[in-house]
Amino acid sequence: MAGKRRQPAHRAIIYGGILGGMSNERVNQLLREVNERPLPPSSYHAIRKHYVPYFEKDMSRLGAAIESPPTYSALKKAGETIPANVGPDDDAADDE
């Protein structure tokens, strides 16, 4: 279930950190430094599995996602496999 929407700077830490190979613990350390709530392990793994391939196919998607995160339905339209247990408008970075 989606939680409170994150700010673009927080999404930049999350997406950039995960895309750069950071662990969930390291991403959460960076989020703590800017007084942002941690990223749950389930969200970290969902981003690694579903969003990273989406970004790697077209890196301009990363900048767009920082400004306005893609929903799972947007990933599906782009041809990515999405988990069965999510809503089409959910964004893994906003999960609690």
Side-chain angles (χ1 to χ4, degrees):
M1 171 174 251
K4 181 182 169 203
R5 305 270 310 177
R6 292 188 191 265
Q7 297 298 312
H10 303 143
R11 285 192 296 270
I13 291 169
I14 293 167
Y15 295 147
I18 294 171
L19 194 59
M22 288 183 177
S23 67
N24 190 198
E25 294 77 20
R26 180 62 180 135
V27 169
N28 284 336
Q29 287 173 343
L30 294 172
L31 290 171
R32 274 193 300 276
E33 289 178 15
V34 295
N35 298 313
E36 175 61 7
R37 71 186 188 279
L39 184 69
S42 61
S43 296
Y44 173 85
H45 293 296
I47 291 168
R48 279 191 56 208
K49 184 174 182 180
H50 303 290
Y51 283 65
V52 167
Y54 172 78
F55 296 144
E56 287 175 334
K57 287 180 182 171
D58 180 355
M59 289 303 289
S60 68
R61 293 173 172 173
L62 177 59
I66 289 168
E67 292 294 332
S68 179
T71 60
Y72 281 111
S73 60
L75 295 180
K76 186 174 182 179
K77 286 179 189 174
E80 301 301 324
T81 304
I82 61 168
N85 61 340
V86 298
D89 294 330
D90 287 352
D91 166 34
D94 287 334
D95 288 351
E96 290 196 63

